[in-house]
Amino acid sequence: MPDSYYVTTPIYYVTDAPHIGHAYTTVTADAVARWHRMAGEDVRFLTGTDEHGLKVQRSAEEHGVTPQEWAERTSRRYEEAWELLDISNDDFIRTTEPRHHTAVTKILEACRANGDIELRRYEGLYCVSCEGYYTESELVEGNCPIHHRPVEHMEEENYFFLLSRYEDRLLEWYETHPEFVRPRSRRNEALGFIRGGLQDFSISRTSITWGVPIPWDPSHVTYVWFDALTNYLTGAGYGSDDEEFAHWWPAVHLLGKDILRFHCVYWPAMLMSAGIEPPRNAYVHGFLLVGGEKMSKTTLNQIAPADLVADFGVDGFRYHFLRNQPFGPDGDFSYEGMVARYNADLANNLGNLLSRVSTVVARKCGGVGPAPDPGSELGVLTAEVFDRAANAWADVQPSAALEATWSLIGAANAMLEKAEPWKMEPGPEVDRVLGDALEVLRIVGLLAAPAIPSSAAEIWRRIGLGSDPSAAGLEAAGWGGYPGGLEVEKGKPLFPRIGGRGNRS
Ligand code: MSP
């Protein structure tokens, strides 16, 4: 039985349209899922939309439609964006689905049975954008520290989850599971929250109607974060299929730093309370900034994935964010930076290797690709690169994995420049050089497939391999697999160079 690997993205609020920040998390999760599938693991990849809460209720009102209609419309936009970006999710969860209501009801009952839910009167300062309360001292100039918008005074009777009871258990979990939150800097951040003392948090609202009713008191609906986090259980079969759930759980979560506290503190405690194992990992990334600022509707600096896909292609888009934004710290996005990286890595480095090799194979080998040298130095390098890439993918560091992969492309180009097979007479020496270069292309097709799946498949097709690298899997990544004797096609540039804005030449 292969290992199971259940990977998730956060579920996106239907108040916003998909932008490159959302795409960043989703493309990363997709590439990681693809790598694990290629490693022969049994993978389940879940994404979806977060459709309840006051923010959605208000957005719907502003647009004169029902919350259900509003949710429907925006959720569809996420599904379309992910289709466009070649996202291979196995399921798409919407929190308005009946299966999710069942799961939320089940976890609430379990936490209540464990004595961790209590009714209290609550008064506080509420940020509608965060769907969360703040204390006076947490505000920045009287505004929400994240959204820089005024908070609202709220007073209501709420059910509370007794998070304060979980301080010691959480610390112990962190102690015994040092890999739980990655990268390490984010783990320290989460530990800081816990050590700073945990407050019980409210898990229901009476002021809104758009949500899952509290099963034993339907005048309350479940607070959006309690509801939202539970999507990860729903998507694995919790409440509908125990066997499925046991197979997939615990999950590997990918998320942005703004929702670290919910995922790394609230969520494991909720699960412990319900008698469920905490997640296997939470991989926390930084923000993608535009002109040094977080994208937001108010500053109108959001970039839609489709706009960049029009200029760079789907794989150009995917490659850029995976390679250019290391997973963990914040990073700045610029169009010029994207053009430069595309031209250097895709058009020049990878694109040139493919076009050079196919041109010289046509001229010197009658269009038939020779086999590699089993003792080639590039074979030794390939083994090293494979290990570096595998470790990086396993630790959700796509940028390091791709850097390693591209170092192999660089080495093959350097080898060709040194040997200059285009100046040689046809014969065994030319065959050896080109066989090695073709073998690098075959292996790069495998290693890069999680990031650029259709281009990787196209590379394999052009060098005469009849299958798709994603389906062949990583077993095929050892040196010497290119059989030789295959027809190599001289095609159009795989990644046409980009000149000025949107000008693919
Ligand atoms: N609905 C909640 C998540 C619930 S998960 C149980 C939510 N949604 S969100 O749509 O606001 O954000 C979803 C994810 O997108 C978060 O991980 C967030 O960090 C990420 N990003 C939103 N803007 C981003 C950038 N500018 N850069 C990188 N990621 C960003 O929070």
Side-chain angles (χ1 to χ4, degrees):
M1 185 83 175
D3 287 343
S4 72
Y5 188 84
Y6 174 42
V7 60
T8 69
T9 73
I11 47 172
Y12 302 101
Y13 284 133
V14 288
T15 37
D16 230 349
H19 60 60
I20 55 172
H22 306 127
Y24 174 67
T25 325
T26 309
V27 168
T28 304
D30 180 65
V32 167
R34 285 173 182 272
W35 177 269
H36 284 268
R37 284 191 200 110
M38 287 180 72
E41 289 166 55
D42 194 12
V43 172
R44 182 169 179 78
F45 166 26
L46 178 76
T47 187
T49 41
D50 190 352
E51 306 187 3
H52 289 135
L54 190 50
K55 240 199 316 185
V56 180
Q57 195 175 310
R58 286 195 181 161
S59 279
E61 278 161 14
E62 278 166 29
H63 292 85
V65 294
T66 63
Q68 183 67 43
E69 247 178 276
W70 180 251
E72 208 82 55
R73 242 191 244 178
T74 328
S75 180
R76 187 69 211 128
R77 295 184 66 178
Y78 281 92
E79 286 194 83
E80 282 163 8
W82 305 154
E83 272 161 37
L84 172 71
L85 296 179
D86 220 351
I87 302 300
S88 64
N89 53 302
D90 299 289
D91 194 356
F92 189 95
I93 174 95
R94 301 185 50 198
T95 53
T96 46
E97 290 175 72
R99 60 172 173 159
H100 182 64
H101 282 228
T102 311
V104 173
T105 305
K106 184 168 170 175
I107 188 177
L108 280 167
E109 297 279 20
C111 295
R112 184 179 184 226
N114 203 29
D116 289 327
I117 294 184
E118 211 173 84
L119 187 64
R120 289 185 194 160
R121 219 179 153 70
Y122 198 75
E123 201 178 330
L125 301 166
Y126 193 78
C127 169
V128 177
S129 295
C130 298
E131 301 269 16
Y133 282 102
Y134 283 99
T135 60
E136 198 86 52
S137 64
E138 286 171 321
L139 302 180
V140 177
E141 292 167 4
N143 291 328
C144 161
I146 292 184
H147 296 92
H148 311 295
R149 287 206 206 148
V151 288
E152 298 176 25
H153 182 258
M154 290 261 241
E155 195 179 341
E156 56 179 350
E157 221 174 31
N158 290 170
Y159 284 97
F160 272 72
F161 177 78
L162 306 186
L163 181 68
S164 56
R165 290 183 170 179
Y166 284 86
E167 230 168 272
D168 291 345
R169 270 172 281 183
L170 284 172
L171 286 174
E172 197 191 322
W173 185 264
Y174 272 76
E175 185 75 24
T176 51
H177 298 81
E179 76 303 336
F180 171 41
V181 178
R182 301 280 303 150
R184 186 186 288 274
S185 55
R186 300 293 178 197
R187 176 176 189 269
N188 292 337
E189 211 175 313
L191 272 169
F193 279 131
I194 304 170
R195 293 200 179 114
L198 297 179
Q199 309 278 324
D200 299 336
F201 68 94
S202 128
I203 61 157
S204 76
R205 300 282 184 271
T206 49
S207 51
I208 50 173
T209 48
W210 181 235
V212 182
I214 295 284
W216 59 88
D217 184 353
S219 64
H220 289 244
V221 302
T222 311
Y223 168 50
V224 62
W225 269 101
F226 202 96
D227 166 336
L229 287 162
T230 303
N231 91 84
Y232 302 130
L233 297 178
T234 313
Y238 181 76
S240 58
D241 188 335
D242 291 347
E243 221 174 287
E244 265 299 283
F245 183 66
H247 178 65
W248 295 116
W249 199 259
V252 173
H253 299 314
L254 266 57
L255 53 128
K257 65 177 186 181
D258 51 332
I259 53 179
L260 174 142
R261 192 197 300 227
F262 296 106
H263 284 79
C264 305
V265 184
Y266 291 24
W267 181 227
M270 284 163 57
L271 291 166
M272 285 174 182
S273 169
I276 304 167
E277 198 183 329
R280 194 200 293 192
N281 307 107
Y283 285 97
V284 187
H285 65 75
F287 285 148
L288 213 68
L289 308 174
V290 175
E293 292 212 28
K294 184 169 188 267
M295 273 171 289
S296 76
K297 263 209 281 209
T298 33
T299 51
L300 292 176
N301 60 352
Q302 293 185 338
I303 301 170
D307 290 344
L308 294 175
V309 167
D311 292 353
F312 296 90
V314 171
D315 283 351
F317 181 98
R318 294 171 58 101
Y319 178 80
H320 182 75
F321 291 100
L322 292 168
R323 173 64 186 88
N324 212 59
Q325 165 104 0
F327 197 92
D330 287 350
D332 226 328
F333 170 80
S334 80
Y335 190 89
E336 295 68 30
M338 188 165 180
V339 171
R341 164 94 49 208
Y342 172 99
N343 282 338
D345 292 8
L346 296 176
N348 291 350
N349 223 348
L350 177 56
N352 271 354
L353 180 63
L354 180 65
S355 62
R356 258 176 180 173
V357 170
S358 45
T359 307
V360 188
V361 168
R363 276 181 32 213
K364 308 275 173 180
C365 313
V368 177
D373 169 6
S376 168
E377 269 174 38
L378 282 170
V380 179
L381 180 66
T382 296
E384 278 168 32
V385 162
F386 182 86
D387 286 347
R388 273 168 61 204
N391 288 335
W393 283 114
D395 195 28
V396 187
Q397 287 296 335
S399 99
L402 295 172
E403 189 187 354
T405 304
W406 257 250
S407 72
L408 185 58
I409 303 173
N413 274 323
M415 181 276 286
L416 287 176
E417 266 146 40
K418 197 159 160 237
E420 300 187 309
W422 42 86
K423 292 188 182 163
M424 295 176 182
E425 287 306 315
E429 187 52 15
V430 173
D431 287 357
R432 196 188 53 77
V433 168
L434 291 174
D436 284 1
L438 282 160
E439 176 61 342
V440 166
L441 280 167
R442 187 189 71 85
I443 291 170
V444 164
L446 285 163
L447 299 184
I452 49 169
S454 26
S455 310
E458 176 62 8
I459 292 171
W460 270 40
R461 200 190 61 72
R462 292 214 192 157
I463 64 173
L465 294 163
S467 54
D468 182 303
S470 300
L474 297 173
E475 262 175 20
W479 185 263
Y482 188 71
L486 302 179
E487 237 171 84
V488 173
E489 183 183 310
K490 235 179 81 180
K492 283 202 289 236
L494 196 54
F495 297 102
R497 270 189 77 80
I498 297 185
R501 192 175 172 108
N503 169 23
R504 277 219 265 182
S505 53

